[in-house]
Amino acid sequence: MAIQETDSEESKITTLLTCFPHDQSLESLVHIPRFRQRLSILSAWSIAPGSRVLDIGCGQGDSSLALALELGPSSHVTGIDTAPPDYGTPLTISESQEKILQSPLGDRLAFQNQVDAATFFKSSSSSRFDAATACHSLFYFPSPESVASLFSELAGAGIGKVYVAEYDQKKTSFPESQTPHILAAKAQALYHAYKSEADDVLNKKEQQQQQENQQLGHISSKNREPPLNIRAAPDVESITNAAKAAGFRVGREGKFTPKEEYQEGHFETRYVRGVRFEARVKEEEFAKEREEEILGVIEEVRRAYEEMERSGMEKVRCMDVWWAEFELE
């Protein structure tokens, strides 16, 4: 099927859905709002058509796909992600990306998994990229240090422009309905930070015992849950400071409020205020003060959600999105 380049948002979304493997029963709830969100981000970024772009934290490939469509037939997008190829459900990352590569937009794309920017640049020339993008991916980096390292790697590779879009956790357009999402992100970030510290102090013997148990099929309840999506959750100030420390300056920046149909904030809030996340926190056996800190934020999420409902609102709204174009000085 030939791709017809068009300025109509609905036509673009139809094309993206055609090229992206997905559950059709979730189109209206999940996939259409996500693609509309990505098109809003790309509109704000205004990357030059025909650009060669490195898409960092590409995941299943939806952001890379949107870039390839929006930047036109002479563009090329390389998506990289640190996740292993077998991560993801119902399709793994590698399965999803392979189907995208077989789509009508496939010749504009390439993917590499289980690789970070530093590793990627060791085996690939940075000169073939006009820009790098991070579309809702920095939230899922493992630590603030890894975000700072990313900008250092991009600067060292001579990437002249970096485009970022991430949630603004401090300034909100709709405080009542957006606050539960802010708190849900905070709870997950705390959990990840404390779990990472605990994992770092495990001695080799304990790690070896865990591996042996898993090989024998003795998987504890801790191991049944997949990793959380939200990890470092850096705020706007820390992202900007990391970029500036690496030698970038802010060329342009702005903010917009996602449409109500985009329900990522509602999904995150529902998980954090539910029983599964609380149980997960307790199973980790954190130090008492740390467990109480996370459980306290969970209670804040629940209270904020109840206050929102009392105000007559049924759905949590996503946080506002801050976007920026960074230029290498």
Side-chain angles (χ1 to χ4, degrees), residues 128-268:
R128 60 191 178 99
F129 297 107
D130 301 306
T133 59
C135 182
H136 282 314
S137 62
L138 298 184
F139 240 48
Y140 312 121
F141 270 48
S143 66
E145 293 76 19
S146 64
V147 174
S149 177
L150 169 66
F151 282 103
S152 295
E153 292 294 338
L154 294 171
I159 303 296
K161 291 190 176 183
V162 180
Y163 297 86
V164 173
E166 203 46 88
Y167 295 119
D168 187 340
Q169 303 172 66
K170 294 184 178 179
K171 297 178 181 179
T172 59
S173 300
F174 301 93
E176 275 190 309
S177 56
Q178 291 175 316
T179 295
H181 187 201
I182 294 172
L183 293 170
K186 179 181 178 181
Q188 292 188 65
L190 282 173
Y191 170 90
H192 175 74
Y194 295 157
K195 187 177 187 309
S196 295
E197 288 180 10
D199 289 346
D200 287 342
V201 300
L202 283 174
N203 60 41
K204 291 183 180 180
K205 183 177 179 180
E206 289 173 322
Q207 291 176 353
Q208 181 179 3
Q209 184 63 57
Q210 285 183 349
Q211 292 171 357
E212 290 173 355
N213 286 343
Q214 290 176 15
Q215 290 169 359
L216 293 170
H218 302 154
I219 300 177
S220 72
S221 58
K222 289 183 184 179
N223 294 321
R224 288 184 190 136
E225 290 278 2
L228 297 185
N229 277 333
I230 295 176
R231 300 170 79 187
D235 59 20
V236 170
E237 183 180 8
S238 64
I239 295 171
T240 302
N241 288 341
K244 289 180 177 179
F248 291 92
R249 69 176 182 86
V250 178
R252 297 180 301 119
E253 65 180 328
K255 192 169 81 167
F256 70 88
T257 303
K259 293 180 172 61
E260 288 188 76
E261 66 171 356
Y262 185 65
Q263 296 189 47
E264 302 301 312
H266 188 76
F267 300 150
E268 294 287 0

Side-chain angles (χ1 to χ4, degrees), residues 60-74:
Q60 301 275 3
D62 51 352
S63 60
S64 302
L65 188 64
L67 278 161
L69 176 64
E70 194 74 345
L71 299 183
S74 60

Side-chain angles (χ1 to χ4, degrees), residues 46-51 70-72 74-75:
S46 298
I47 302 174
S51 293
E70 194 74 345
L71 299 183
S74 60
S75 68

